[in-house]
Amino acid sequence: MKRNNDLGAFFEARNVAVIGSFKEYWVGGYGVIKNLLNFGFSGNIYPVNPSCSNVLGMTAYPAVDQVPDAIDLAIVITPSPIVPTIIEQCGHKGIKAAIVVSDGFAEANGEGIKLQREIVDIARNSGTRLIGPNTIGIINSASGLVTTPYFTGYSSIQRGTITYVSQTGLAGAQALPLEDLAYPISKMCDFGNKCDVNELDIIDYLDGDPDTKVIAAHLEDIKDSHQFMNMARKVVANKPVLILKPGKSEASIRAMASHTGSLAGNDQIYDSAFKQAGIIRLDTWQEFLEIPRVFASQPLPTGNRIAIISLTGGAGIMAIDAAVTYGLAVSQLSSHTINKLTKISPRLATNPIDFGQVAAVITNFIPTFEPIVTTVLGDDNIDCITIILSAGLADEMTDAIDMFRRLKQQALKPITIWLCGPQLAVREELARELETIGLPTYSNLETAVKALGIAANYARIKSQFEY
Amino acid sequence: MKRNNDLGAFFEARNVAVIGSFKEYWVGGYGVIKNLLNFGFSGNIYPVNPSCSNVLGMTAYPAVDQVPDAIDLAIVITPSPIVPTIIEQCGHKGIKAAIVVSDGFAEANGEGIKLQREIVDIARNSGTRLIGPNTIGIINSASGLVTTPYFTGYSSIQRGTITYVSQTGLAGAQALPLEDLAYPISKMCDFGNKCDVNELDIIDYLDGDPDTKVIAAHLEDIKDSHQFMNMARKVVANKPVLILKPGKSEASIRAMASHTGSLAGNDQIYDSAFKQAGIIRLDTWQEFLEIPRVFASQPLPTGNRIAIISLTGGAGIMAIDAAVTYGLAVSQLSSHTINKLTKISPRLATNPIDFGQVAAVITNFIPTFEPIVTTVLGDDNIDCITIILSAGLADEMTDAIDMFRRLKQQALKPITIWLCGPQLAVREELARELETIGLPTYSNLETAVKALGIAANYARIKSQFEY
């Protein structure tokens, strides 16, 4: 039994064979190839199908071992009964990595469980690593490697440093508006049934991946908790590990057992093991998607003292509650800051800083708002900032974006943003522009604050783990 | 001292005087009039300004007591030092209701506190009720009465049965994309500094308002807790009262004291008083906005047993955790349902019902999905349903919407929806269409489930309070 532990064959693949049906339809091999082309995959694509010689202008080969070039990665999307034969052919061809998109394995029935064991045995014998089955596969934004067979309707993913791994296709290009949100993505991976490659392999790989600054993992179960926590402890000294772990109820634990074919353990044990390993646990799917961004684009805070700069007093109050809930202190501003802000307006001199009254007149927005933020960024009493803003105020979008670009260039402290505003499209456009600049906005006011609380918490954990 | 308790003069106003500056600019009286015109206010508008004779084609009057017709409501947006004189003139004119949009009162400084007392005294003497100061005022979707002075960029608000009241302008047409979201709104009211009209007045008024089916209130403080809880208890027997009450930390309590000039009490006391009064407490601003919709468009569930119909197993699992957290039971399907679903596919026979595998082929989506939902709606073991769907699946949007319209017509049980999908605009369009049909979608998977948990909880409370 050979076992290579480098998942580079998956994520850095150059020559990719797509083995499946190429009917002109989205779900299937055709969909995979369309997406690879669509996202501008920089490697080579080799369609494989015995009853087809040409797909979208590319030569198709009857079997993978008849492809003339070496293959790094096979993407398999055939009916499940054929998959063992395909994996065998991949072995003959010397392919080190295969993603089995097909379903009909352990998640389906007893027959599928047997089939899954069979492909694992074959792959282990030939030294092929498997992701899946029952997966939409992986993404590498650097090379345009997007393996989902489903329609996405967009063609670009912002390159960045977040790697998402999950046990659900929900974290995939067909379910997430990655282009619209412009989240800075390094890689994504759906484990599917996790017959071979699992959370232990990937966290090991990502630890050494220079393109990954933060790891967000949705895990229904953890195969070897002890080993995983030890590994995570090591990773956490380098980069944050954020985990969304369902299974807080007996009902969900039972359902996961049938869904993934694996048994999840007691939730409280996980909770304390995560804490000991320095893993940060997230609570909701939205947090899983949104919170990692604070680590991708913001510096770590050196303490937990937050300033809240808000266009309304009411939102500022709610932000205080969130700050206290998530371990932040709403600090007094320094006397230097108070002096400077008082010169702009006496009503700015407390934290939260309510700029609504002074910036309500739109033409004054940028010249008033910018020095407020600059002053607070320079305050030694403040470690991080949440800004609460209306996208409607940014009437002159270009000027507002230029201002935020200037602010980001000088910011040595993390900033998160919550936008309200009367038009969804305007709010989303501003959010996307801010994301591109490197300023993350959050769907929820409370999450914008919580992201900073988690960043401060991680900074503390990291300093402890580095010893 | 005269005091009229009917807030109808505000919300049902026909003749509205707008007293302020009419420079062609959004913030000010000009903005108020623009919004009234914009939202098609069905009453009459009377601009009032001593140095202007014509606004947007309408005659302007030098003072409110020189307007020839009777005035129901004055909207005052002048510099604060003039406001006492204006309120006095309103009294002379016999106006029963005035919204003081102007700031510079108790929220600003000592001088403002005095000024606020002054206008309250004047108004009490003349029997004029005041909303504000420091408010964006009110909305009545039925008449197009939208008093905010700020730019909104849209011109229609979906008529419905939710009334939102708040102590922040965040719940206003200039901060919320009401048109884009199509939330079913009856009324909105920002109390501002609450110098006169407060939560007690409004809950009393809304209890008797046939256009309000659910009351959502954001309250930083409650002036007379005892009276409020007694009043709420009475209202709760008729319609749900949902409250977002900041002040969970000492820091926020201190900040509210300076922000609203009023002292908030101990949070735990509020918590238990709310429970006793049958008030449901919400946790976040997003919940405040989104959760009331389950009461506006859905029947009350007769129990707490939820079915989860999901396009992925992973999302179904997360929904289970949310269900259990928020008091719902993930019930076994009846044998009748299991038989019917098994005929569609043996893999549909458990709750959560994972339809991803059977509906992955888009052309089969509607004919497969519709009987699944219909069958579950008819299951005696199920009281409510959360549907988890991709907006990308609804490729043929018109057909999908027709299907949802049919489902809504037959649904005697509440349904909530969470949409994922690869394009924000498509997801938002489908959400808007579903909202219009009467099926609420939620930004968060967990909130879609929580809304049903809260509906089931309210159904229980209501049955107890009716005795």
Side-chain angles (χ1 to χ4, degrees):
Chain A
M1 183 175 127
K2 301 169 261 175
R3 191 172 165 96
N4 69 73
N5 274 314
D6 181 10
L7 302 187
F10 289 95
F11 291 104
E12 308 297 339
R14 306 305 307 156
N15 287 358
V16 175
V18 180
I19 307 164
S21 155
F22 298 112
K23 273 180 273 179
E24 278 200 32
Y25 202 78
W26 269 103
V27 184
Y30 185 83
V32 175
I33 290 181
K34 274 292 246 184
N35 278 324
L36 288 169
L37 294 172
N38 196 27
F39 288 93
F41 175 53
S42 57
N44 305 303
I45 306 168
Y46 301 84
V48 175
N49 186 298
S51 57
C52 159
S53 62
N54 191 293
V55 182
L56 292 156
M58 289 177 278
T59 304
Y61 301 90
V64 73
D65 44 14
Q66 290 177 43
V67 174
D69 301 320
I71 295 294
D72 302 312
L73 169 66
I75 302 169
V76 184
I77 180 165
T78 65
S80 57
I82 315 174
V83 175
T85 308
I86 303 287
I87 299 300
E88 208 157 353
Q89 290 169 344
C90 289
H92 294 156
K93 179 71 182 163
I95 299 173
K96 296 289 172 226
I99 297 170
V100 183
V101 178
S102 320
D103 61 346
F105 290 90
E107 86 290 356
N109 49 35
E111 193 53 46
I113 293 173
K114 273 196 276 178
L115 213 53
Q116 187 165 314
R117 279 202 204 111
E118 201 180 328
I119 63 169
V120 171
D121 288 343
I122 296 167
R124 292 252 157 104
N125 274 323
S126 60
T128 308
R129 296 301 306 267
L130 299 180
I131 288 179
N134 186 27
T135 175
I136 52 141
I138 66 172
I139 290 174
N140 184 350
S141 66
S143 62
L145 179 63
V146 177
T147 71
T148 182
Y150 298 102
F151 177 73
T152 60
Y154 61 94
S155 58
S156 87
I157 295 172
Q158 175 102 353
R159 255 186 97 166
T161 55
I162 305 172
T163 292
Y164 291 99
V165 301
S166 79
Q167 278 182 257
T168 165
L170 272 186
Q174 81 291 338
L176 295 174
L178 294 176
E179 183 169 272
D180 288 342
L181 296 172
Y183 287 4
I185 310 281
S186 173
K187 299 173 181 66
M188 296 182 89
C189 175
D190 168 15
F191 292 124
N193 291 4
K194 284 206 303 196
C195 77
D196 176 28
V197 169
N198 62 25
E199 58 283 349
L200 201 61
D201 302 299
I202 200 131
I203 204 171
D204 189 19
Y205 171 71
L206 294 175
D207 189 28
D209 176 26
D211 290 340
T212 296
K213 258 179 77 178
V214 47
I215 302 166
H218 160 268
L219 299 174
E220 293 192 348
D221 66 323
I222 292 175
K223 298 264 180 193
D224 183 335
S225 295
H226 184 71
Q227 220 185 328
F228 180 78
M229 300 304 167
N230 281 340
M231 178 86 81
R233 243 189 111 79
K234 186 178 65 112
V235 179
V236 160
N238 298 322
K239 46 188 98 177
V241 177
L242 312 174
I243 292 187
L244 178 65
K245 169 81 187 66
K248 299 191 176 185
S249 59
E250 276 186 44
S252 63
I253 291 171
R254 263 200 316 277
M256 285 192 286
S258 69
H259 168 57
T260 62
S262 60
L263 268 165
N266 179 300
D267 191 65
Q268 287 177 330
I269 294 174
Y270 274 122
D271 219 43
S272 66
F274 286 155
K275 268 204 192 89
Q276 281 175 35
I279 292 168
I280 291 163
R281 191 167 184 179
L282 302 175
D283 289 327
T284 67
W285 182 250
Q286 197 182 43
E287 287 184 10
F288 172 72
L289 295 177
E290 293 192 6
I291 288 199
R293 295 176 303 138
V294 76
F295 294 105
S297 57
Q298 302 308 296
L300 280 183
T302 55
N304 75 334
R305 299 162 306 170
I306 187 175
I308 297 157
I309 303 178
S310 173
L311 93 157
T312 79
I317 301 288
M318 289 187 273
I320 297 175
D321 271 350
V324 173
T325 302
Y326 300 117
L328 297 168
V330 183
S331 176
Q332 291 283 331
L333 302 170
S334 73
S335 56
H336 180 70
T337 299
I338 291 174
N339 287 339
K340 283 180 87 169
L341 293 181
T342 305
K343 277 180 200 152
I344 302 171
S345 163
R347 295 167 73 176
L348 296 170
T350 52
N351 185 12
I353 298 150
D354 178 355
F355 70 89
Q357 311 292 359
V358 296
V361 179
I362 294 166
T363 45
N364 276 346
F365 172 65
I366 292 172
T368 308
F369 181 77
E370 188 168 7
I372 296 174
V373 180
T374 307
T375 303
V376 176
L377 276 171
D379 189 324
D380 287 341
N381 283 4
I382 298 300
D383 302 306
C384 56
I385 302 175
T386 290
I387 295 172
I388 298 163
L389 198 67
S390 172
L393 274 180
D395 217 24
E396 293 173 19
M397 187 80 98
T398 320
D399 290 346
I401 290 161
D402 286 347
M403 174 195 67
F404 278 110
R405 196 173 285 114
R406 289 191 295 274
L407 288 173
K408 172 63 185 168
Q409 273 160 6
Q410 63 172 286
L412 301 173
K413 296 169 183 175
I415 297 173
T416 60
I417 296 173
W418 182 63
L419 294 175
C420 63
Q423 286 161 297
L424 279 184
V426 173
R427 197 202 285 183
E428 285 157 6
E429 190 190 334
L430 182 56
R432 190 163 43 249
E433 293 284 355
L434 292 173
E435 188 76 50
T436 309
I437 290 168
L439 292 170
T441 67
Y442 289 83
S443 310
N444 280 348
L445 167 56
E446 292 81 0
T447 314
V449 175
K450 183 172 184 175
L452 292 174
I454 284 179
N457 186 26
Y458 173 69
R460 200 180 44 76
I461 291 168
K462 184 172 153 69
S463 70
Q464 289 166 351
F465 278 41
E466 280 168 345
Y467 276 79
Chain B
M1 184 174 126
K2 300 169 263 174
R3 190 171 165 96
N4 69 74
N5 273 314
D6 181 10
L7 302 187
F10 289 95
F11 291 104
E12 308 297 339
R14 304 306 307 154
N15 288 357
V16 175
V18 180
I19 307 164
S21 154
F22 298 113
K23 272 179 275 181
E24 281 200 29
Y25 202 77
W26 269 104
V27 185
Y30 186 82
V32 175
I33 290 180
K34 274 291 247 186
N35 278 324
L36 288 170
L37 294 172
N38 197 25
F39 287 93
F41 175 53
S42 57
N44 305 303
I45 307 168
Y46 301 84
V48 176
N49 185 298
S51 58
C52 161
S53 62
N54 192 294
V55 183
L56 292 158
M58 290 178 281
T59 305
Y61 300 90
V64 72
D65 44 13
Q66 289 177 45
V67 174
D69 300 320
I71 295 293
D72 303 312
L73 169 66
I75 301 169
V76 184
I77 181 165
T78 66
S80 57
I82 315 173
V83 174
T85 309
I86 303 287
I87 299 300
E88 209 158 352
Q89 291 168 345
C90 288
H92 294 157
K93 179 71 183 162
I95 299 173
K96 297 289 172 226
I99 297 171
V100 183
V101 178
S102 320
D103 61 347
F105 290 90
E107 86 291 355
N109 51 35
E111 193 52 47
I113 294 174
K114 273 197 276 179
L115 214 52
Q116 187 165 314
R117 280 203 205 109
E118 201 180 329
I119 63 169
V120 171
D121 287 344
I122 296 167
R124 293 251 158 104
N125 274 323
S126 60
T128 308
R129 297 300 307 266
L130 299 180
I131 287 178
N134 186 27
T135 176
I136 51 143
I138 65 172
I139 289 174
N140 184 351
S141 67
S143 61
L145 178 63
V146 177
T147 70
T148 182
Y150 298 102
F151 176 73
T152 60
Y154 61 94
S155 58
S156 86
I157 296 172
Q158 175 102 353
R159 256 186 97 167
T161 55
I162 305 172
T163 292
Y164 291 98
V165 300
S166 80
Q167 277 182 258
T168 164
L170 272 186
Q174 82 291 340
L176 296 174
L178 295 176
E179 183 169 270
D180 287 342
L181 295 172
Y183 287 3
I185 311 280
S186 173
K187 300 172 180 67
M188 296 183 89
C189 174
D190 168 15
F191 292 125
N193 290 5
K194 281 206 307 196
C195 76
D196 176 28
V197 168
N198 63 24
E199 58 282 350
L200 201 61
D201 302 300
I202 199 131
I203 204 171
D204 189 19
Y205 171 71
L206 293 174
D207 188 29
D209 176 27
D211 290 340
T212 297
K213 256 178 80 179
V214 47
I215 301 167
H218 160 269
L219 299 174
E220 292 192 348
D221 66 324
I222 293 175
K223 298 265 179 193
D224 182 336
S225 295
H226 184 71
Q227 220 185 330
F228 180 78
M229 300 303 166
N230 280 340
M231 178 86 81
R233 242 188 113 79
K234 186 178 65 111
V235 179
V236 160
N238 298 322
K239 47 188 97 178
V241 177
L242 312 174
I243 292 188
L244 178 65
K245 169 82 188 65
K248 299 191 176 186
S249 59
E250 277 185 42
S252 64
I253 290 171
R254 266 201 313 278
M256 285 192 288
S258 69
H259 167 58
T260 62
S262 60
L263 268 167
N266 179 301
D267 191 66
Q268 286 177 330
I269 294 173
Y270 274 121
D271 220 43
S272 67
F274 286 155
K275 269 206 192 87
Q276 281 175 34
I279 292 168
I280 291 163
R281 191 167 185 179
L282 302 175
D283 288 327
T284 66
W285 181 252
Q286 197 183 43
E287 286 184 11
F288 172 72
L289 296 177
E290 293 192 5
I291 288 199
R293 296 177 303 139
V294 75
F295 294 105
S297 57
Q298 301 307 296
L300 281 183
T302 54
N304 74 335
R305 299 164 305 170
I306 187 175
I308 298 157
I309 303 177
S310 173
L311 94 156
T312 79
I317 301 288
M318 290 187 271
I320 296 176
D321 272 350
V324 174
T325 303
Y326 301 116
L328 297 168
V330 183
S331 176
Q332 292 282 330
L333 302 171
S334 72
S335 56
H336 180 69
T337 299
I338 291 175
N339 286 340
K340 283 180 89 169
L341 293 181
T342 304
K343 277 179 200 153
I344 303 171
S345 163
R347 295 166 73 175
L348 296 171
T350 53
N351 185 11
I353 298 150
D354 177 356
F355 69 88
Q357 311 292 357
V358 296
V361 180
I362 294 166
T363 45
N364 275 347
F365 172 65
I366 292 172
T368 308
F369 181 77
E370 189 167 7
I372 296 174
V373 180
T374 307
T375 303
V376 176
L377 277 171
D379 189 324
D380 287 340
N381 283 3
I382 298 300
D383 303 305
C384 55
I385 302 174
T386 290
I387 296 173
I388 298 163
L389 200 65
S390 171
L393 274 180
D395 217 25
E396 293 174 20
M397 188 81 99
T398 319
D399 289 347
I401 290 161
D402 286 347
M403 173 195 67
F404 278 110
R405 196 173 285 116
R406 288 192 295 275
L407 288 173
K408 172 64 184 167
Q409 273 159 6
Q410 62 172 287
L412 301 172
K413 296 170 183 176
I415 297 172
T416 61
I417 296 173
W418 181 65
L419 294 175
C420 63
Q423 286 162 297
L424 279 184
V426 173
R427 196 201 286 181
E428 285 158 6
E429 190 191 334
L430 182 55
R432 190 163 43 248
E433 294 283 355
L434 291 173
E435 188 76 51
T436 309
I437 290 169
L439 292 169
T441 68
Y442 289 83
S443 310
N444 280 348
L445 167 56
E446 292 82 0
T447 314
V449 175
K450 183 172 183 175
L452 292 175
I454 284 179
N457 186 25
Y458 173 69
R460 201 181 43 75
I461 292 168
K462 184 172 154 66
S463 70
Q464 289 167 350
F465 278 41
E466 281 169 344
Y467 277 80

